[in-house]
Amino acid sequence: MSGLGWAGLLATLAALFLSVVSFAAAGIAVPDIGASLQATAAEQSLVVAIYALGFAVPLVLGARLGDLFGRRRLFLIGMAGFTLFSLLATFAPTMVVLIIARALMGISAAAMVPQVLATITASTQGSERARAVAWFGATAGGATAVGQVLGGVLLSIPLFGAGWRTVFAASVVMGALSFLAALRWVPSTSAPGHHSLDLIGTSLLGAALLSLLVPLSQGSGLGWPVWCWALLGAAPVLFAAFWGWQRRLHRSEKAPLVPPPLFRLRSYRVGILMALILQSAYGAFTFIYALTAQTGLGWTPMHTALVLLPFALSFFAVSVWSGNLAVKVGFRRLLIAGGFIQAVLLAITATSIFLQHAELNSWTFSTLLMCVGAGQALMFGPLVGAMMADIPPAIAGAASGVLQTVQQASMGLGVAIAGGLLSAAVSGATSTIAGTYTSALAICMIIQAAVAVTFALCALTLPRR
């Protein structure tokens, strides 16, 4: 790492790691929060959903601010805010205060996380960039399972009277250390050009994302009321209005929030579609797996997380290795091979689940998930590398923000679809509850296999170089 340096890379990746770990750990802690603060089911779901909304909606704005005013500056502001609001969450006396703190943590994450990939893109090139992006992919995937395991462990340590407070206290400690590391090692980068902010575009994009993400995150729990469908119907209209405004600004040589030339790059344009289907399928899997393990099979949160841990470890190891492999064989070839390999691994895992049904063995399933994690790594990390390979440093922040916004929205889409189908399956079940959930998990993995094949076919259209 000659340009960014290993210390700089790890300090930069700390923001991504912290944001994902906090999200996953809080999800494990929700039942304990509900019991401690006498929260309703809707309030408990908001602890997770409000963070996701606060994170996803201003992501592109956070990326653009980093381009204009310095990525290191936005990184440090976001990290400082995340740490302080984690402290507020740690000692929150009521659910209202906790929900507000979680929303502010999400907004802080939206300031710091887009700077990670943008800083990598602006500070590296060639094989160095490929390896750095591989570490980015490894961190993004591995942090989810690490957060679940960490949440399970911290819940058993009630340092401040309740285990969930220890979960947020850990974010305070990690945030403070990450801030100090960033002060020392994260380089300063920015984008030359117009130092102005597209406020109209920001408002249109924010409204469009809220119209999409609020129904996706809350619709299932509320029984899909009419206003949810109305918002979903408004979302494409608002996105179209936003894109029309971006093109108008670009033609007048002003600075749009999302530069239209970004989507003239075939690698980025096709990559966004591939990211959408990949993250939607993965979001559906994580949701159905958690419910199958805890509701269907009666596993504890710790048991559920530990079964998923080999998936995270193999994902991390193969993601790091794929950076070197991509330099040798090319992103396109690796993505094609990864898609087909993953499809086979998912089909084998789904077959095993069907055969075992309610008697699903933890060790067997964990071993199969370890293989699936390796296959997932051959798709995720190289995809980010392929998308960012041709991005000029001047629009690296916008490219990073759009990609991560698509990933967040796609996860919500996958969860919403899976939640609706699972509710229908459970209500009309004729078999045991465990059998119904395991069947749903197996079907989800078969659909994932089909998505992996589609992913590989899309990769065929990427540039050959």
Side-chain angles (χ1 to χ4, degrees):
M1 294 293 164
S2 57
L4 181 59
W6 281 109
L9 176 63
L10 294 178
T12 304
L13 289 175
L16 177 63
F17 179 82
L18 182 56
S19 67
V20 177
V21 164
S22 178
F23 177 81
I28 292 290
V30 161
D32 193 52
I33 292 172
S36 174
L37 297 180
Q38 291 80 48
T40 64
E43 289 174 332
Q44 291 178 54
S45 68
L46 268 179
V47 172
V48 177
I50 201 71
Y51 175 87
L53 288 171
F55 186 12
V57 171
L59 256 173
V60 177
L61 175 61
R64 182 60 181 154
L65 289 172
D67 283 346
L68 294 179
F69 303 111
R71 296 172 185 128
R72 182 176 183 271
R73 180 181 299 172
L74 263 291
F75 185 99
L76 291 171
I77 290 172
M79 185 64 77
F82 193 93
T83 305
L84 290 174
F85 296 131
S86 294
L87 183 63
L88 176 61
T90 301
F91 296 104
T94 65
M95 279 300 296
V96 172
V97 175
L98 179 59
I99 289 169
I100 291 173
R102 289 290 288 166
L104 293 172
M105 286 172 68
I107 294 170
S108 299
M112 66 181 183
V113 172
Q115 318 314 325
V116 177
L117 196 53
T119 298
I120 289 173
T121 304
S123 306
T124 60
Q125 55 186 335
S127 59
E128 183 183 358
R129 182 184 293 182
R131 294 187 186 97
V133 168
W135 278 89
F136 175 90
T139 303
T144 300
V146 170
Q148 291 177 325
V149 175
L150 183 63
V153 172
L154 293 175
L155 282 171
S156 63
I157 311 173
L159 292 181
F160 303 99
W164 66 268
R165 296 188 187 276
T166 311
V167 171
F168 292 120
S171 293
V172 177
V173 175
M174 289 189 289
L177 294 175
S178 299
F179 181 86
L180 294 175
L183 273 177
R184 174 66 177 84
W185 288 298
V186 172
S188 180
T189 64
S190 61
H194 296 278
H195 278 255
S196 61
L197 193 59
D198 175 15
L199 296 178
I200 294 177
T202 299
S203 300
L204 285 171
L205 181 60
L209 288 170
L210 284 172
S211 296
L212 177 66
L213 296 177
V214 169
L216 290 180
S217 63
Q218 297 297 297
S220 180
L222 297 174
W224 291 103
V226 174
W227 65 265
C228 281
W229 294 110
L231 284 178
L232 286 175
V237 177
L238 289 167
F239 276 118
F242 165 74
W243 189 242
W245 177 253
Q246 298 305 284
R247 294 182 63 183
R248 177 180 174 183
L249 286 184
H250 181 68
R251 285 194 299 267
S252 61
E253 297 186 354
K254 295 181 180 178
L257 188 65
V258 178
L262 187 61
F263 289 92
R264 294 175 190 166
L265 298 170
R266 182 152 54 105
S267 57
Y268 192 84
R269 188 173 63 248
V270 175
I272 284 290
L273 175 61
M274 295 168 69
L276 191 154
I277 62 174
L278 180 63
Q279 292 295 114
S280 296
Y282 182 61
F285 164 73
T286 55
F287 176 77
I288 292 183
Y289 166 71
L291 286 178
T292 298
Q294 297 183 63
T295 304
L297 299 173
W299 293 352
T300 65
M302 179 63 80
H303 185 172
T304 302
L306 289 176
V307 168
L308 198 61
L309 183 60
F311 171 94
L313 294 176
S314 66
F315 185 102
F316 182 85
V318 176
S319 291
V320 173
W321 171 71
S322 70
N324 293 323
L325 187 61
V327 173
K328 297 176 182 178
V329 306
F331 290 115
R332 181 176 176 272
R333 290 180 180 177
L334 193 56
L335 289 169
I336 294 168
F340 286 120
I341 290 171
Q342 179 72 332
V344 173
L345 293 170
L346 286 165
I348 293 171
T349 306
T351 302
S352 174
I353 296 171
F354 268 128
L355 291 175
Q356 294 182 69
H357 250 304
E359 303 301 322
L360 186 63
N361 182 273
S362 298
W363 291 102
T364 302
F365 186 47
S366 186
T367 302
L368 290 170
L369 283 180
M370 181 174 64
C371 299
V372 169
Q376 187 89 353
L378 292 176
M379 299 164 70
F380 184 81
L383 174 60
V384 177
M387 292 178 66
M388 301 301 289
D390 298 326
I391 300 296
I395 56 174
S400 171
V402 171
L403 170 58
Q404 289 169 317
T405 299
V406 168
Q407 290 174 332
Q408 290 291 318
S410 299
M411 289 280 283
L413 177 63
V415 170
I417 293 173
L421 294 177
L422 186 60
S423 296
V426 171
S427 62
T430 56
S431 60
T432 63
I433 188 70
T436 300
Y437 275 98
T438 52
S439 294
L441 180 61
I443 292 170
C444 175
M445 300 193 84
I446 290 173
I447 294 173
Q448 272 191 290
V451 166
V453 172
T454 305
F455 181 95
L457 295 175
C458 288
L460 287 169
T461 68
L462 289 171
R464 290 184 176 274
R465 60 183 175 79

